[in-house]
Amino acid sequence: MSTTDYLLHLADNAVVLGQRNAEWCGHGPVIEEDIAMANVSLDLIGQARLLYQEAAGRIGRGATEDSLAYFRDVPDFRNYTLLELPHHAALVGYAKTDLDYGTTIVRNFLYSALMVLLWDGLQHSKDTQLAAIAAKSLKEASYHLRHSRDWLIRLGDGTEESHARVQAALEHLMPYTAEFWTSTPVEAEVAAGGVGVDVAALKPQWDRLVDDALAEATLVRPAEPGGHVTSGKTGVHSEHLGFLLAEMQSLARAHPGATW
Amino acid sequence: MAVVTPVDPVAAAWAALESVADPEIPVVSLRELGILRDIRRVADGIEVVITPTYSGCPAMGQIEDDVRSTLESHGLRATVVTQLAPAWTTDWMSDPAKAKLRAYGIAPPQRRCTGAQGGSENVLRFVREAAGVVSCPRCGSARTVETSRFGSTACKALYKCLDCLEPFDYFKPY
């Protein structure tokens, strides 16, 4: 059962960030980035589909990728809280608009830097289906990392305003990454069984990826937060996930089984 | 009396599917792109194995339908299965396929992907990208520049030629 729960955690991460990034579709700062974000979302939603299909097969009882994505509620989702946050910090200062590309880039960078390491480990999972999905997703995550890292450097080492905005985004989002390193009972169980990986062991490599990029971007890494650690991956979420799911799930719930 | 030659359904399916092109890039076949992985005999007919290029490739549904309907029109009953491992790579693309892409206006992938990654301790391998010259499919110039890492489909990036100024798609090495 814990492997299924773990598949759902990975799938929820992908679908929630995929849905968030898709909010840029038609609103990108430049057309190339509009297309980029739609492509990143396509990859993430593709990963989520593979993982949900795999989980649905194991759950049985009529579960499908759609029932898992559209008919579970906030407490059922197991994604990192970081991924459900809107594309802005508090609506003051530099984050004056509700779509701040600096926030989007910083989040994609922090998450992609984790996922290249996690998928890299998971491609050796004892669960052959998960290993196959991981090997596929690793290629996509590497590309997302290169894209977000490029922009992090471009904005960080850019103008006074772009620098200040990504620095503010970094200060806002970095505390949420503490959730990456706390192991849930599900994560601990799959790691012990050789299905998952020990997430805490990935931190030194993640730190190197992050520090290396921040140095090039002339950004300052915020001090280790040490305060509250968010717990989206155990189902306790911020207030933002409900709004995101409402938008994502409303059509499927209003017209169950609809096709076009 | 006519002599009926027994036809190997697997060979017949390979022959029939040779005409099935990628829905987005109609000049190359599914086999040439490496999407069509295998055709094998199973208890109740034949099984066709396909693999997605990218996880979210929206053409997969269309590809599955195209494969099934082509085989049906040849009187072949087949099930289509999707297989993820080994993960698709542009390394599987044949040289004739690359030439067809170029003639169609899409620069083919310029480098191999497998074996390009370093040791498992080197995290920088995730961000490094081997440099390779992407030559313009229109004029052949090597003076080109990446406009965007993402293009019209998941598998392509946008480039521009600095000599003839042609904007073009580049099939990403993957």
Side-chain angles (χ1 to χ4, degrees), chain A residues 202-215:
Chain A
L202 303 177
K203 189 163 189 301
Q205 293 191 77
W206 184 82
D207 283 337
R208 273 174 60 203
L209 277 173
V210 169
D211 291 340
D212 180 71
L214 291 184

Side-chain angles (χ1 to χ4, degrees), chain A residues 18 41 93 120 148 153-154 172 174 182 186 201:
Chain A
S41 281
D120 190 34
S148 55
I153 291 162
R154 200 157 157 182
H172 168 53
M174 193 61 105
T182 57
V186 169

Side-chain angles (χ1 to χ4, degrees), chain B residues 116-149:
Chain B
Q117 296 187 344
S120 62
E121 283 311 297
N122 179 14
V123 292
L124 281 177
R125 73 188 187 279
F126 296 120
V127 295
R128 206 183 292 127
E129 196 170 29
V133 174
V134 177
S135 55
C136 171
R138 182 172 176 270
C139 73
S141 166
R143 292 202 326 123
T144 60
V145 62
E146 182 187 78
T147 316
S148 174
R149 283 193 181 277

Side-chain angles (χ1 to χ4, degrees), chain A residues 172-184:
Chain A
H172 168 53
L173 296 177
M174 193 61 105
Y176 291 91
T177 62
E179 190 181 343
F180 292 169
W181 319 116
T182 57
S183 189
T184 62

Side-chain angles (χ1 to χ4, degrees), chain A residues 124-189:
Chain A
H124 307 296
S125 170
K126 278 187 184 163
D127 187 299
T128 53
Q129 272 305 104
L130 176 56
I133 294 170
K136 189 129 203 72
S137 304
L138 174 61
K139 292 177 169 224
E140 292 160 359
S142 302
Y143 206 77
H144 300 170
L145 177 62
R146 284 202 287 269
H147 171 263
S148 55
R149 189 181 188 278
D150 277 0
W151 274 97
L152 187 76
I153 291 162
R154 200 157 157 182
L155 295 172
D157 194 15
T159 65
E160 202 177 313
E161 180 177 346
S162 73
H163 176 89
R165 285 173 70 160
V166 282
Q167 183 66 48
L170 195 60
E171 310 273 349
H172 168 53
L173 296 177
M174 193 61 105
Y176 291 91
T177 62
E179 190 181 343
F180 292 169
W181 319 116
T182 57
S183 189
T184 62
V186 169
E187 284 175 305
E189 198 181 325

